């Protein structure tokens, strides 16, 4: 993917977010008292700002002559890690943090080239132990 | 002030606070030594750990980390020519040539001592300036706070590296998402009818995602570690003659330059180290030796970048304005503790800022000692496999985001912002404007509307308050300054190219 195309996708995405918020702004009940501008004014203003600057970026990107490529190194691994993290969160919701960690930390490490079983096991145990000791045991912070 | 400071010192000498200074320093060195992990990322990762802590302990831990991370960046810059932080880049210019000459011990001693002395002098300057600043700001009403927040937001133009338009998109995106939830004045819902969204987009999990998790994805792109073999550093290598040569830079010039630049929101440690380095070079009789291993260059760069840390705390503590990403995260950490950065912090809970001041003074010698004793250990940090570290950091991010309100909603927010942060950074969209907008947006809207409610003459009310007016004018100038600079630069480039053609 070129930098130009990436910029166009980015601009369109943020332009859409701007329009979504702009349209939704009119659904806000505008309770106004005295000189108060009401709850609708600020979101309206910032949604318009987002649209304007995303539009400017879109136009400059379309007319951009530079076709420099966007550099993504090890992109498959990065995307797989992102997907792995989504599954990690689903497993936490379904079971709990410790069970999800025992399953997902080795998988995430394996995706990222840690292939030795001892390293996988050791890193998983160290991570879980660290979380337990620091968050749960020492600071009393609840673990999911 | 003195009585408060004495009370601050009495709060410091407890086992818990001293432990926080030690832990913050150790983690800070670790974060600073690792290229890729910046002080702001370190603070973002550590903030969730502070949720259950006493506010003073939490702040001391985070500020100790902030300071030590700036110190740590210089160690790998000197030994491996791999600056751990951007601010340590200038340290490498003279530090690495010194190490190549076999004088690594001398360079490290100069760097750590300059850092320590710089931070100490700067902490004193912070105490002397932040208190009057906060006292002055006590007279502020909603209108002044609105103007102050607008001024803070205008710094985005200074903080933006690269495209101003992209920074502004980030800023408006941050402002839009803080509108989600319940309106702060009349309580009607905005963009959310029910469920978790009613509480809005939680700031800290979003920030952990934008800074820490997006960096994890970057780490995974290149997991190769530094292979340089560094000989064990022995002794201090620092002589009386060396001290005579650099004392002015170390004790006076670098701390003052660093502090002043640190106070200017948006400038930060990197600019401070570059300015101090350039000053040291220009005022030196041995200009040609800079870049080839001059200890004055190391002293200037390291002294200034560490002095910028207390400098950055001044507008944050006294006015509630974050001048950097790290300061914005610290404001978030204070908010979680139920505290509001700004003059009220000094007025209502003086023990917090004064204990922080005392902790800065006490932590500097501790950090310096840890730095000097642990040099050989910090260098090994760079060899920790990045792929393993990245997965450990992402797991900590998950637990940290969950701790925000003991639900999975902030964890999903953290993940979404982490992925968003990774992709937008690829397109050179800075993440700092999003964070600044999320911190200041609420302040802007509520204070503007409060000001309008109490005013009788509508918007013209703004022109009757001189402080607010000056701040608004300054904000407008801040926004347009980079544009004017760019236009002038373009004109100059066009002129130069025409001259070349002729």
């Amino acid at each position: 993917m070129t930098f130009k195309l990436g910029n166009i996708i980015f601009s369109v995405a943020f332009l859409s977010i701007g329009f979504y918020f702009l349209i939704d702004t009119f659904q806000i009940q505008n309770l106004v008292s005295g000189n108060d501008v009401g709850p609708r004014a600020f979101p309206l203003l910032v949604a318009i700002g987002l649209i304007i600057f995303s539009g400017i970026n879109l136009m400059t990107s379309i007319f951009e002559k530079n076709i420099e490529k966007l550099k993504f190194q090890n992109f498959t691994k990065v995307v797989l890690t992102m997907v792995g993290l989504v599954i990690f969160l689903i497993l936490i919701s379904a079971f709990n943090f410790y069970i999800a960690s025992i399953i997902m930390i080795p998988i995430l490490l394996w995706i990222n080239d840690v292939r030795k079983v001892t390293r996988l096991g050791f890193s998983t145990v160290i991570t879980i132990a660290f979380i337990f000791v620091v968050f749960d045991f020492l600071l009393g912070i609840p673990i999911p | 002030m003195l009585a408060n400071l004495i009370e601050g010192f009495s709060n410091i000498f407890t086992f818990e606070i001293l432990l926080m200074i030690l832990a913050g320093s150790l983690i800070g060195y670790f974060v600073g030594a690792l290229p890729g992990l910046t002080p702001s990322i370190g603070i973002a990762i550590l903030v969730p750990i502070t949720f259950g802590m006493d506010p003073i302990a939490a702040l001391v831990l985070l500020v100790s980390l902030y300071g030590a991370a700036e110190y740590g960046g210089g160690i790998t810059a000197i030994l491996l020519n791999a600056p751990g932080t951007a601010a340590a880049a200038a340290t490498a210019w003279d530090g690495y040539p010194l190490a190549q000459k076999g004088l690594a011990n001398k360079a490290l001693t100069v760097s750590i001592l300059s850092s320590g002395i710089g931070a100490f002098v700067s902490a004193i300057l912070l105490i002397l300036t932040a208190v009057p600043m906060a006292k002055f700001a006590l007279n502020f009403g909603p209108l002044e706070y609105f103007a102050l927040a607008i001024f803070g937001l205008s710094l985005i133009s200074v903080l933006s590296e690269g495209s101003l338009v992209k920074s502004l998109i980030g800023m408006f995106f941050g402002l839009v998402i803080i509108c989600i939830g319940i309106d702060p004045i009349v309580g009607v819902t905005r963009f959310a009818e029910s469920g978790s969204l009613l509480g809005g987009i939680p700031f800290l999990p979003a920030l952990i995602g934008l800074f820490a998790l997006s960096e994890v994805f970057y780490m995974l792109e290149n997991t190769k570690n530094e292979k340089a073999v560094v000989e064990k550093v022995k002794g201090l290598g620092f002589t009386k003659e060396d001290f005579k040569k650099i004392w002015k830079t170390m004790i006076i010039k670098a701390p003052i330059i660093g502090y002043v630049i640190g106070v200017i929101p948006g400038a930060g440690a990197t600019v401070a180290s570059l300015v101090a380095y350039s000053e040291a070079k220009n005022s030196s009789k041995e200009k040609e030796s800079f870049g080839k291993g001059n200890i004055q260059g190391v002293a200037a760069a390291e002294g200034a970048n560490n002095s910028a840390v207390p400098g950055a705390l001044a507008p944050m503590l006294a006015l509630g304005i974050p001048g950097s990403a790290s300061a914005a995260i610290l404001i978030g950490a204070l908010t979680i503790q139920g505290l509001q950065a700004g003059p009220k912090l000094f007025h209502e809970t003086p023990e917090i800022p004064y204990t922080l001041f005392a902790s800065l003074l006490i932590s500097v010698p501790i950090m310096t000692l840890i730095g000097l004793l642990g040099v050989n250990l910090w260098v090994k940090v760079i060899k920790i496999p990045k792929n393993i570290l990245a997965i450990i950091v992402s797991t900590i991010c998950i637990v940290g985001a969950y701790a925000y309100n003991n639900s999975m909603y902030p964890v999903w927010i953290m993940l979404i912002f982490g992925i968003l942060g990774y992709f937008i950074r690829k397109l050179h969209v800075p993440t700092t404007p999003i964070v600044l907008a999320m911190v200041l947006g609420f302040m802007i809207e509520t204070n503007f509307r409060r000001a309008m409610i109490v005013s009788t003459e509508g918007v013209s009310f703004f022109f009757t308050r001189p402080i607010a007016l000056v701040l608004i004018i300054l904000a407008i100038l801040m926004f347009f300054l980079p544009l004017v600079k760019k236009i002038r630069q373009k004109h100059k480039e066009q002129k130069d190219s025409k001259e070349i053609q002729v």
Side-chain angles (χ1 to χ4, degrees):
Chain A
M1 188 196 285
T2 60
F3 201 77
K4 178 181 173 170
L5 181 62
N7 261 328
I8 291 172
I9 295 170
F10 162 75
S11 308
V12 171
F14 278 75
L15 203 58
S16 313
I17 294 172
F19 275 115
Y20 171 78
F21 277 93
L22 182 71
I23 294 162
D24 231 31
T25 296
F26 294 103
Q27 309 293 321
I28 299 169
Q29 196 186 352
N30 207 26
L31 292 176
V32 181
S33 61
N35 280 328
D36 182 18
V37 289
R40 196 186 280 171
F42 188 69
L44 187 72
L45 200 72
V46 292
I48 291 171
L50 185 59
I51 291 167
I52 291 172
F53 287 103
S54 300
I56 292 172
N57 201 51
L58 179 65
M59 295 316 284
T60 48
S61 305
I62 288 170
F63 295 107
E64 173 77 63
K65 283 173 189 165
N66 190 352
I67 47 158
E68 189 191 336
K69 284 231 167 186
L70 260 179
K71 282 177 194 157
F72 286 102
Q73 285 174 282
N74 287 331
F75 190 58
T76 318
K77 279 179 202 164
V78 174
V79 171
L80 282 174
T81 306
M82 287 172 183
V83 175
L85 287 173
V86 171
I87 299 168
F88 199 166
L89 300 198
I90 293 169
L91 287 177
I92 291 174
S93 301
F95 304 104
N96 64 38
F97 172 76
Y98 293 110
I99 293 174
S101 298
I102 291 167
I103 300 167
M104 286 313 295
I105 293 177
I107 293 174
L108 288 169
L109 287 168
W110 192 85
I111 290 170
N112 291 291
D113 294 336
V114 182
R115 298 289 153 89
K116 281 185 186 167
V117 180
T118 45
R119 242 184 191 198
L120 282 171
F122 186 70
S123 305
T124 308
V125 170
I126 288 287
T127 310
I128 296 174
F130 172 81
I131 299 285
F132 172 74
V133 171
V134 175
F135 281 82
D136 206 352
F137 184 71
L138 285 178
L139 297 165
I141 295 169
I143 304 291
Chain B
M1 183 168 103
L2 201 62
N4 283 324
L5 199 59
I6 291 167
E7 198 197 328
F9 273 105
S10 70
N11 290 336
I12 282 289
F13 294 105
T14 61
F15 175 72
E16 192 192 7
I17 301 292
L18 290 174
L19 188 70
M20 289 304 126
I21 293 176
L22 195 67
S25 307
L26 287 170
I27 302 168
Y29 271 111
F30 180 86
V31 167
L34 268 170
L37 287 190
T38 60
S40 51
I41 294 171
I43 301 171
I45 296 170
L46 210 66
V47 163
I49 293 177
T50 67
F51 289 168
M53 284 183 191
D54 169 69
I56 293 175
L59 208 58
V60 167
L61 176 73
L62 297 175
V63 172
S64 301
L65 181 148
Y66 187 9
E70 292 290 358
Y71 285 24
I75 298 173
T76 46
I78 290 168
L79 295 178
L80 303 166
N81 202 21
T85 58
T91 310
W93 295 340
D94 281 290
Y96 188 61
L98 276 168
Q100 282 183 314
K101 287 177 193 168
L103 296 169
N105 52 354
K106 188 194 284 276
L108 284 165
T109 309
V110 169
S111 127
I112 295 169
L113 283 179
S114 307
S115 298
I117 293 170
F120 191 82
V121 175
S122 185
I124 295 170
L125 292 173
L126 168 70
I127 299 167
L128 295 175
T129 52
V131 180
M133 218 189 270
K135 267 189 187 161
F136 176 69
L138 263 181
N139 305 317
F140 286 9
L143 191 62
E144 282 78 15
Y145 274 116
F146 161 74
L148 198 60
I150 288 284
F151 174 69
L153 214 54
S154 71
L155 300 170
I156 281 168
S157 60
V158 186
L159 285 168
S160 60
E161 312 121 15
S163 163
L164 181 61
V165 172
K166 285 180 181 172
S167 296
L168 291 171
I169 293 173
M171 180 190 89
F172 280 110
F173 175 67
L175 291 173
V176 158
I177 54 178
I178 60 126
C179 293
I180 298 172
I182 296 171
D183 170 73
I185 304 285
V186 289
V188 299
T189 56
R190 297 195 296 201
F191 312 116
E193 287 310 315
S194 60
S196 304
L197 272 180
L198 272 180
I201 301 287
F203 166 68
L204 273 172
L207 194 145
I208 295 171
L210 280 175
F211 282 93
L213 194 65
S214 69
E215 190 56 44
V216 162
F217 299 135
Y218 267 87
M219 256 191 219
L220 295 174
E221 281 199 339
N222 182 15
T223 49
K224 279 181 190 155
N225 285 71
E226 293 287 334
K227 286 202 172 131
V229 179
V230 181
E231 279 178 35
K232 206 169 180 185
V233 179
K234 285 176 188 165
L236 296 177
F238 189 63
T239 60
K240 258 187 193 173
E241 281 66 40
D242 292 330
F243 181 75
K244 276 182 192 165
K245 196 177 166 188
I246 61 167
W247 75 271
K248 263 189 202 167
T249 304
M250 193 192 243
I251 300 170
I252 304 168
K253 289 182 186 174
I256 293 176
I257 291 173
Y259 181 78
V260 172
I261 293 178
V263 169
I264 301 167
T270 310
V271 179
S273 65
L274 294 175
V275 172
Y277 184 88
S278 150
E279 190 284 328
K281 190 179 174 182
N282 290 333
S283 63
S284 171
K285 287 173 191 165
E286 305 162 4
K287 285 187 186 74
E288 68 289 344
S289 65
F290 275 76
K292 293 171 189 160
N294 189 318
I295 53 168
Q296 217 177 332
V298 177
E302 276 300 294
N305 72 35
N306 286 284
S307 308
V309 173
L313 294 177
M316 184 213 108
L317 288 170
L319 306 171
I321 293 295
S324 65
S326 301
I329 307 168
L330 286 173
I331 287 185
L334 276 171
T335 314
I336 286 292
Q337 298 285 347
L339 299 163
Q340 197 189 341
K344 279 183 190 164
L345 190 72
F346 285 80
H347 187 63
E348 290 165 8
T349 49
E351 69 279 7
I352 307 264
Y354 284 97
T355 309
L356 185 69
F357 295 156
S359 83
L360 278 171
L361 295 174
I362 297 294
S363 67
V364 168
I366 297 175
M367 283 186 208
T368 312
L369 204 64
I370 293 174
L372 287 172
L373 295 175
V375 165
N376 292 307
L377 180 69
W378 311 126
V379 178
K380 283 181 187 149
V381 162
I382 210 165
K383 293 185 177 173
I384 293 176
K386 280 188 192 169
N387 43 4
I388 296 179
L389 186 74
I391 302 305
I392 294 174
V393 170
S394 57
T395 313
I396 295 172
C397 289
I398 291 173
V399 180
Y402 180 84
Y404 181 77
N405 65 0
N406 299 340
S407 78
M408 286 303 286
Y409 168 63
V411 187
W412 284 106
I413 294 289
M414 185 270 303
L415 183 61
I416 292 166
F417 275 79
I419 296 171
L420 177 79
Y422 171 75
F423 284 110
I424 64 171
R425 279 173 64 189
K426 279 278 166 202
L427 293 162
H428 304 161
V429 179
T431 48
T432 308
I434 304 178
V435 174
L436 278 187
M438 287 180 84
V439 172
L440 296 169
F442 180 78
M443 193 170 161
I444 289 173
E445 187 185 10
T446 46
N447 284 300
F448 175 76
R449 287 173 63 189
R450 275 183 197 144
M452 289 300 287
I453 289 167
V454 295
S455 75
T456 46
E457 60 260 63
V459 184
S460 60
F461 177 51
F462 284 74
F463 299 99
T464 61
R465 307 287 287 257
I467 296 172
L469 194 64
V470 168
L471 284 167
I472 295 277
I473 292 169
L474 279 175
I476 294 168
L477 287 176
M478 276 280 192
F479 264 120
F480 286 103
L481 204 69
L483 278 180
V484 174
K485 258 187 183 174
K486 239 182 193 173
I487 292 167
R488 281 178 68 178
Q489 203 181 338
K490 235 181 191 174
H491 269 287
K492 205 186 161 199
E493 277 171 14
Q494 279 175 349
K495 211 177 160 187
D496 287 348
S497 64
K498 271 182 191 170
E499 274 174 15
I500 289 167
Q501 279 174 357
V502 171

